Amino acid sequence: MSHSVIQADSKLLAEAANYYKSHSAAKLPAGAVFSAKVDGCTVTGYKSGKILFQGSAAETEARRWGESNRAKPAKSAAKTVNGFAPPPNISELSAIGSDEVGTGDYFGPMTVTAAYVSRENLPLIKEMGVRDSKGLKDPQIIEIAKNLIHAIPYSLLVLKNEKYNELQKKGMTQGKMKAWLHNQAIRHLMDKINPEEPEAVLIDQFVDPNIYYSHLRGQTFSKKNTYFSTKAEGIHLAVAAASIIARYSFVKEFDKLSKKAGMTLPKGAGKQVDEAAAKLISKQGEQVLHTYTKTHFANTQKALSLLDRKRP
């Protein structure tokens, strides 16, 4: 198991304890003042001032609070050779970050955002509450995003269901759609902030970088200072900001669809989604799915099966 340790003063220790409060573990190890579990990492703060990060995301989570005092692990051969891993100091750089929302939801569009956060704006963006959106509820995201969209340059793209389904039927994979949208959002934002140039571009990694660039054949793109990382929201605030704006847009579009459908549409792709789709089909016909859903998801057949079982 990967792990990292940082030494914190009393102020930083208290700040970390408060940050992880909503993810607190039921039991504390001996000598601990707090313990929490977040995605891919267990975080434990001790009376001594040490904060221990354990798990696959240990290094990423530790970077939120300072440099780890353990030796840095060797980078994977692929990332070292291809140069896609972000530099150790990327969190301090002026950067464009990009992220997407809605790819796993049956109802609703796919939204992709690229956001630019300069060195000078890093403290302000952090003060606004920008952080990994996975630790935020939609009402918090909406509140932060309403201020955030006036504080930084960004580019937002919304791929609505009709266009998504059209591209998918022509043979385009969701991965290729995402690559095109990320690239377009980044290019639009580059134009918007010109002549200023970011010191880095960080893409929340959803596919191997080599495949990402193969998806962009025939498109205009730049590899200059461009990096990829999973869980990139925890590496640079620009990606966290992009994720929050993308989620804000997704929620607004989702609410519009619910209003249009005359019913509250559930997010995700679970059993409730199947039932809602079946209800929608019974009210408006199967063709309506083209507007509301990503029709190639298995939920389409599950919804139709539910209707078949209900028919006399």
Side-chain angles (χ1 to χ4, degrees):
M1 180 185 289
S2 177
H3 73 278
S4 294
V5 179
I6 64 169
Q7 184 66 47
D9 57 22
S10 57
K11 183 179 178 182
L12 184 62
L13 190 65
E15 185 181 346
N18 184 61
Y19 179 86
Y20 292 112
K21 191 174 181 179
S22 61
H23 300 280
S24 295
K27 292 183 180 180
L28 292 179
V33 293
F34 76 86
S35 185
K37 289 187 177 182
V38 293
D39 288 344
C41 187
T42 299
V43 185
T44 308
Y46 292 90
K47 295 175 183 177
S48 64
K50 285 186 172 58
I51 303 179
L52 172 65
F53 302 84
Q54 297 172 289
S56 59
E59 279 295 318
T60 299
E61 200 64 31
R63 288 194 195 103
R64 293 182 187 274
W65 308 100
E67 288 298 314
S68 167
N69 64 9
R70 78 176 183 89
K72 301 293 182 185
K75 294 177 181 177
S76 69
K79 286 191 175 181
T80 301
V81 171
N82 295 316
F84 296 126
N89 68 332
I90 192 169
S91 64
E92 304 166 8
L93 303 180
S94 295
I96 286 176
S98 68
D99 201 0
E100 83 283 334
V101 173
T103 58
D105 291 89
Y106 180 58
F107 289 111
M110 191 158 67
T111 59
V112 175
T113 300
Y116 178 58
V117 179
S118 65
R119 287 174 180 256
E120 295 75 20
N121 272 342
L122 284 168
L124 170 64
I125 299 308
K126 189 172 183 180
E127 184 67 25
M128 290 173 70
V130 173
R131 57 186 174 93
D132 188 340
S133 64
K134 293 181 182 65
L136 299 170
K137 302 293 185 183
D138 281 348
Q140 293 174 292
I141 287 172
I142 292 168
E143 193 63 32
I144 293 170
K146 284 180 178 179
N147 295 317
L148 185 60
I149 57 177
H150 300 294
I152 59 170
Y154 69 94
S155 174
L156 168 67
L157 297 175
V158 178
L159 182 62
K160 295 193 175 182
N161 298 106
E162 295 93 336
K163 186 64 176 178
Y164 178 98
N165 291 321
E166 180 185 324
L167 293 172
Q168 195 275 330
K169 285 178 181 177
K170 288 180 178 178
M172 185 179 287
T173 64
Q174 190 184 85
K176 188 168 185 176
M177 293 182 212
K178 288 194 281 187
W180 279 30
L181 290 168
H182 274 265
N183 183 52
Q184 287 177 30
I186 291 166
R187 286 178 55 212
H188 292 169
L189 185 53
M190 288 278 201
D191 290 340
K192 190 179 287 189
I193 66 174
N194 186 54
E196 189 171 354
E197 289 190 14
E199 296 171 288
V201 175
L202 180 60
I203 299 170
D204 191 55
Q205 186 173 332
F206 56 89
V207 71
D208 181 274
N210 289 308
I211 296 175
Y212 173 86
Y213 285 117
S214 72
H215 285 325
L216 298 182
R217 284 174 190 157
Q219 305 290 308
T220 300
F221 61 88
S222 172
K223 290 186 178 181
K224 183 181 178 182
N225 297 329
T226 299
Y227 308 100
F228 296 78
S229 178
T230 55
K231 301 185 184 298
E233 290 176 80
I235 295 177
H236 198 286
L237 286 175
V239 182
S243 179
I244 285 172
I245 295 171
R247 182 70 185 180
Y248 174 53
S249 173
F250 174 78
V251 169
K252 287 201 301 179
E253 294 292 333
F254 209 95
D255 288 345
K256 288 177 188 176
L257 282 179
S258 287
K259 188 175 181 180
K260 185 176 180 180
M263 57 188 282
T264 300
L265 300 175
K267 297 181 178 70
K271 186 177 179 181
Q272 284 184 316
V273 170
D274 302 336
E275 293 168 350
K279 185 176 180 181
L280 193 59
I281 294 168
S282 66
K283 287 171 63 178
Q284 300 186 38
E286 185 180 345
Q287 74 284 348
V288 77
L289 296 181
H290 185 72
T291 300
Y292 290 90
T293 75
K294 302 173 183 70
T295 55
H296 68 105
F297 278 31
N299 302 89
T300 297
Q301 289 306 315
K302 290 178 181 178
L304 292 171
S305 294
L306 282 174
L307 283 175
D308 284 340
R309 288 201 292 271
K310 289 179 181 178
R311 290 189 181 109

